[in-house]
Amino acid sequence: MARKIQYGVVPYLKEGNKTRIIMVTSRTHRQWIFPKGGRVSGLSRRKSALQEALEEAGLKGRIDKKAEFTSTIIRNGEKIDLVLYPMQVDKMKNKWDEMHQRRRVVISPRKAEKIVTCKGMRKGIKKWLRWHDKIKSEAANKKAA
């Protein structure tokens, strides 16, 4: 039997010269996670991830077309392949579908690493940090040229 696959986002936004990550709690164990879920019928993997961000966290934004981070999470003893896409948040809605089932927080990437208990999610943060540092470096090099 094939392993289950979930698609999600690492949502981030700019606050002045700082970048923040947005996380939500899982519905069952109240652990900090990224919005994620199974592929939505009729939608691409990336559009499914965007849909999860809207439903679970009230976020709208743009996914990087080239980057994706893979990891494995374990839920109830079952291994699940996780594909995360970096999503720059354009809008955080005040009301969203699952707002009464989840909490949402905007925090620094370093603090996110500390509050996440799932190893697969933490791995996603580390991969996002490497990607983000690379993007910042490329932008700085372009500016200097």
Side-chain angles (χ1 to χ4, degrees), residues 90-141:
D90 297 324
K91 182 175 183 176
M92 279 194 343
K93 296 176 78 173
N94 291 325
K95 294 182 179 181
W96 68 94
D97 291 354
E98 298 182 14
M99 66 183 284
H100 297 294
Q101 301 166 28
R102 301 176 186 274
R103 289 179 50 213
R104 178 176 71 188
V105 67
V106 180
I107 55 176
S108 74
R110 298 293 177 207
K111 184 159 185 187
E113 280 185 293
K114 291 178 184 172
I115 67 169
V116 170
T117 56
C118 172
K119 289 179 186 176
M121 289 282 173
R122 197 172 307 120
K123 190 174 178 182
I125 295 170
K126 289 178 188 309
K127 288 181 178 185
W128 178 87
L129 279 166
R130 284 193 297 272
W131 170 84
H132 186 259
D133 289 345
K134 180 182 170 199
I135 296 298
K136 277 183 13 184
S137 176
E138 288 172 358
N141 289 341

Side-chain angles (χ1 to χ4, degrees), residues 3-6 26 28-29 31-33 36 70-83 116-123:
R3 271 209 319 224
K4 191 175 188 178
I5 302 174
Q6 291 194 325
S26 63
T28 52
H29 297 101
Q31 295 176 338
W32 291 106
I33 63 168
K36 62 175 182 46
T70 58
S71 186
T72 301
I73 58 175
I74 299 172
R75 187 170 57 203
N76 301 325
E78 177 186 12
K79 286 187 178 183
I80 300 169
D81 292 326
L82 179 62
V83 180
V116 170
T117 56
C118 172
K119 289 179 186 176
M121 289 282 173
R122 197 172 307 120
K123 190 174 178 182

Side-chain angles (χ1 to χ4, degrees), residues 15-77:
E15 287 184 341
N17 63 350
K18 294 182 180 178
T19 302
R20 303 282 187 209
I21 285 180
I22 302 164
M23 302 195 79
V24 295
T25 54
S26 63
R27 287 190 291 192
T28 52
H29 297 101
R30 313 302 287 165
Q31 295 176 338
W32 291 106
I33 63 168
F34 294 116
K36 62 175 182 46
R39 187 168 179 181
V40 179
S41 179
L43 294 182
S44 69
R45 299 178 321 165
R46 282 178 166 77
K47 289 204 179 192
S48 293
L50 284 171
Q51 183 67 32
E52 293 299 329
L54 182 59
E55 290 173 6
E56 294 184 2
L59 304 174
K60 290 186 173 191
R62 294 165 279 141
I63 285 181
D64 185 280
K65 295 203 183 331
K66 296 175 191 164
E68 70 176 45
F69 320 123
T70 58
S71 186
T72 301
I73 58 175
I74 299 172
R75 187 170 57 203
N76 301 325

